[in-house]
């Protein structure tokens, strides 16, 4: 864990796919310690990953773990939730998160088991949010307010951010990538527009869903934005040439060589974007 600001800790995940060795802990996660409570922000991709995060919290404080906040639906950010059930924790997420988890849980759990194996996967299950955010919500950890905001469709349809008001530390989840190629489960044009809005906000530092523990803002948004703009331009060019969607994954590759895991995620991003732009 890296302490990026007073009482704000971040686990910087490796740029990897889920494996038995990494326990599916391949997305950044963190926690914030207040006077009266701790809030956890994302929990990793397995019960064991979440348990490791919980142990790291307990090395640093005995204050109750009152909240687990999930920034979006993806399994590398939510499948560790069950590690916090014994704490009487309140699980918090975007208003669209329960439906998205219910629709995907069978696939998410089966894929996690396949990638990690039975030992690393053991005990992993879906724990949906018990408190929903439709617009904004403020949680107080004891003289430490956290501002939660639910955003419209962008990276996904379930994106939620967390601002630690006292330190100006903004957890952006997968609305921000650094190093690891962005993963698109929403709409590229809407993600670009949202980043434009978010860049007008002030923050002392931001925590990406994948990348270093903390980055400066708004400069940190530029690589993600550049990737998305070039992806859109590549796909538009493909469509204008009358080429089929089956070529999108290999042809929409202007950013190849700039990101880790490019070949694992970019083809799917290109196909998603082709669907969105085909009839514009």
């Amino acid at each position: 864990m890296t302490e990026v600001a007073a009482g704000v800790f971040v686990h910087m995940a490796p740029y990897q796919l889920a494996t038995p060795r990494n326990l599916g802990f391949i997305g950044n996660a963190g926690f914030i310690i207040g006077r009266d409570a701790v809030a956890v922000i994302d929990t990793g991709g397995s019960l064991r990953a979440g348990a490791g995060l919980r142990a790291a919290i307990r090395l640093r404080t005995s204050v109750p773990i009152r909240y687990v906040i999930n920034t979006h639906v993806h399994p590398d950010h939510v499948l560790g939730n069950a590690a916090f059930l014994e704490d009487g924790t309140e699980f918090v997420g975007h208003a669209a998160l329960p439906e998205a988890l219910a629709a995907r849980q069978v696939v998410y759990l089966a894929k996690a088991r396949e990638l990690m194996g039975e030992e690393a996967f053991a005990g992993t299950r879906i724990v949906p949010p018990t408190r929903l955010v439709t617009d904004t919500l403020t949680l107080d950890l004891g003289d430490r307010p956290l501002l939660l905001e639910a955003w419209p469709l962008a990276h996904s349809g379930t994106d939620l951010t967390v601002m630690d008001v006292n330190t100006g530390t903004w957890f952006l989840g997968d609305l921000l990538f650094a190093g690891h190629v962005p993963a698109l489960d929403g709409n590229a044009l809407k993600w670009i527009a949202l980043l434009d809005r978010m860049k007008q906000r002030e923050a002392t530092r931001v925590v990406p869903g994948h990348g270093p523990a903390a980055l400066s803002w708004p400069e940190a948004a530029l690589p993600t934005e550049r990737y998305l703009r070039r992806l859109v331009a590549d796909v538009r060019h493909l469509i204008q040439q009358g080429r089929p969607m089956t070529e999108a994954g290999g042809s929409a590759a202007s950013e190849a060589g700039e990101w880790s895991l490019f070949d694992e995620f970019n083809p799917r991003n290109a196909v998603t974007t082709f669907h969105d732009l085909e009839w514009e």
Side-chain angles (χ1 to χ4, degrees), residues 13 38 71 209 225:
V38 174
T71 61
E225 187 175 24

Side-chain angles (χ1 to χ4, degrees), residues 256-278:
E258 301 293 329
W259 302 87
S260 294
L261 300 175
F262 185 85
D263 291 339
E264 286 77 10
F265 288 91
N266 186 71
R268 182 170 56 193
N269 294 346
V271 170
T272 298
T273 303
F274 193 104
H275 275 295
D276 289 333
L277 299 181
E278 187 174 11

Side-chain angles (χ1 to χ4, degrees), residues 123-242:
T124 301
R125 61 189 179 94
I126 297 289
V127 177
T130 54
R131 189 167 183 178
L132 304 182
V133 184
T134 56
D135 184 14
T136 64
L137 173 69
T138 298
L139 302 176
D140 189 359
L141 305 183
D143 295 327
R144 186 155 213 164
L146 305 183
L147 175 62
L148 281 58
E149 294 179 86
W151 298 95
L153 181 71
H155 152 261
S156 76
T158 59
D159 297 312
L160 184 76
T161 60
V162 183
M163 169 68 82
D164 176 42
V165 176
N166 289 6
T167 66
T169 304
W170 202 9
F171 284 78
L172 298 185
D174 281 6
L175 287 169
L176 182 67
F177 284 74
H180 182 304
V181 70
L184 177 62
D185 188 20
N187 181 284
L189 289 175
K190 292 180 179 180
W191 192 350
I192 292 167
L194 181 56
L195 286 174
D196 282 340
R197 285 175 56 193
M198 296 175 76
K199 285 188 299 182
Q200 307 310 309
R201 300 279 191 92
E202 292 187 2
T204 305
R205 65 192 61 80
V206 292
V207 179
H210 298 265
L215 295 165
S216 60
W217 186 256
E219 297 85 356
L222 299 181
T224 298
E225 187 175 24
R226 185 196 69 231
Y227 169 83
L228 293 169
R229 290 187 184 279
R230 295 184 77 179
L231 174 68
V232 167
D234 285 349
V235 172
R236 278 183 171 148
H237 182 66
L238 192 74
I239 293 170
Q240 288 165 3
Q241 290 183 320

Side-chain angles (χ1 to χ4, degrees), residues 61-120:
T61 183
S62 60
V63 171
I65 302 170
R66 188 168 296 164
Y67 304 107
V68 165
I69 304 165
N70 291 132
T71 61
H72 63 289
V73 68
H74 292 152
D76 51 324
H77 296 264
V78 304
L79 289 186
N81 283 7
F84 297 90
L85 284 169
E86 66 187 72
D87 296 297
T89 301
E90 188 169 19
F91 295 86
V92 186
H94 192 287
L97 184 56
E99 183 177 356
L101 283 171
R104 301 178 182 202
Q105 61 181 338
V106 173
V107 173
Y108 279 179
L109 293 173
K111 190 65 175 179
R113 179 183 280 110
E114 174 189 339
L115 292 173
M116 288 185 286
E118 290 295 340
E119 182 178 355

